[in-house]
Amino acid sequence: MSPAEEEELPALDLRLTEENVEDLYEQAPCGYCSCLPDGTLVKINQTLLSWLGYAREELVARHCLQDLLTVGARLHYESFCAPLLLMQGQVREISYQLRRADGSLLPVLLSATLLRDTEGQPLVIRATLFDITERRKYEQELLRARAEAESQRMQLTVKNEQLTRINGELDNFVYTASHDLKQPASNMQGLFDELKRTASFHDPEAAHMLTMFDDALRQILGTIEGMTEVVQLQRQLDQVPRENIDLQEITEEIMRNLQPLQTGTVDFTLDFEAAPRLQMSRPALHSLLYNLLSNAVKYAHPERRPHVWVSSGRVAEGLMLSVRDNGLGIDLQRHGQELFQLFRRFHTQVPGSGVGLYLVNRLVRQAHGRLEVDSAVNEGTTFRIFLPA
């Protein structure tokens, strides 16, 4: 024998060997019953009697197992469970409801075995029943939670459809309104220019008032152009597929287009070595970069040579595109909440429509990305765009 086998076994309390089999049957944590092939109860343990609220003499030899079932459960037992027992000799974990003596219901899981005599004839059915009240409560709570989640999902779907429709209607309205307003506003601009050229004004305040009117008129035209640009770009993006774009190439193209905006020399530093290409709609990327680079040029600091750094890199969520300048900067503590609102401007001394950053944010969100901004007044601004790979 091995040393382990030679070890002395722990002493047993002799009372543990005196367990009464009948008592184990009667007080088992589950219900037991035995019945004839027709369902007549011949034996039932105390646990099941306690659950149902019956005395033993009320049930044994007086009632069938089917009598304890609800109407629906009885139909299922007689049409499915009993035939299945005869065919294969057992059934496992069928969910039924028993009716207690007081009329209340007890949900149970029933498993049963059919015993046969020496001649193969059905002799007795032994059934085991487990109380699944808590399990049923959990299942009902789960179903209720699932129904609520489905209801909320449906409501969200309806709201999304409503928002999509409203956004479409709003875009159509904005496009129509900007289109209808553009011609009258342009006519007003032409008439005003002709008025300034041909009319004489003797009031010393007239020149100042004319300048104010001219600025207001140009602002109206800029707003109309901005509204049109937003809607036109959105419609264009809905029809343009994504493509693999060379960042160096498209950035240099935008730099050439920015030449008319440059009143002096602007230094550009490009670094796309870490992530040279990006999957995105070309019009979307062109508009995004154009607005950021044109802002960097327009809002250059007057006391130093403007410098713009454009770079890309790999990050955990995909690709990061960064545009940094050494320009006027933005007071984010004051304007951070309204930074991407339509027609909001933060340096009124420079002409603009207040559409650029709104478009940038919209394009980033449409590409399922996010945007971070760091800025310090009179030091410069950095835009970091995070896009999925």
Side-chain angles (χ1 to χ4, degrees), residues 19-38:
E19 285 282 2
N20 187 294
V21 175
E22 186 65 24
D23 185 60
L24 288 174
Y25 173 83
E26 292 291 342
Q27 306 300 328
C30 58
Y32 287 124
C33 68
S34 300
C35 53
L36 300 179
D38 66 356

Side-chain angles (χ1 to χ4, degrees), residues 218-219 222-223 298-299 343 345 347-355:
R218 293 184 186 280
Q219 186 175 358
T223 299
K298 284 193 297 184
Y299 300 109
F343 304 130
R345 301 183 62 236
H347 299 291
T348 55
Q349 72 275 21
V350 181
S353 63
V355 173

Side-chain angles (χ1 to χ4, degrees), residues 78-134:
E78 292 177 345
S79 62
F80 175 80
C81 185
L84 193 61
L85 269 171
L86 289 172
M87 289 176 57
Q88 63 183 31
Q90 66 176 3
V91 293
R92 303 287 295 173
E93 296 186 345
I94 300 178
S95 178
Y96 286 137
Q97 283 190 318
L98 304 181
R99 192 174 297 280
R100 295 187 178 97
D102 62 7
S104 62
L105 301 179
L106 173 68
V108 296
L109 278 182
L110 180 144
S111 296
T113 301
L114 174 65
L115 299 182
R116 297 179 181 272
D117 60 19
T118 55
E119 296 180 359
Q121 296 300 311
L123 179 64
V124 66
I125 296 172
R126 291 178 179 172
T128 306
L129 301 100
F130 290 91
D131 181 355
I132 58 170
T133 302
E134 294 304 318

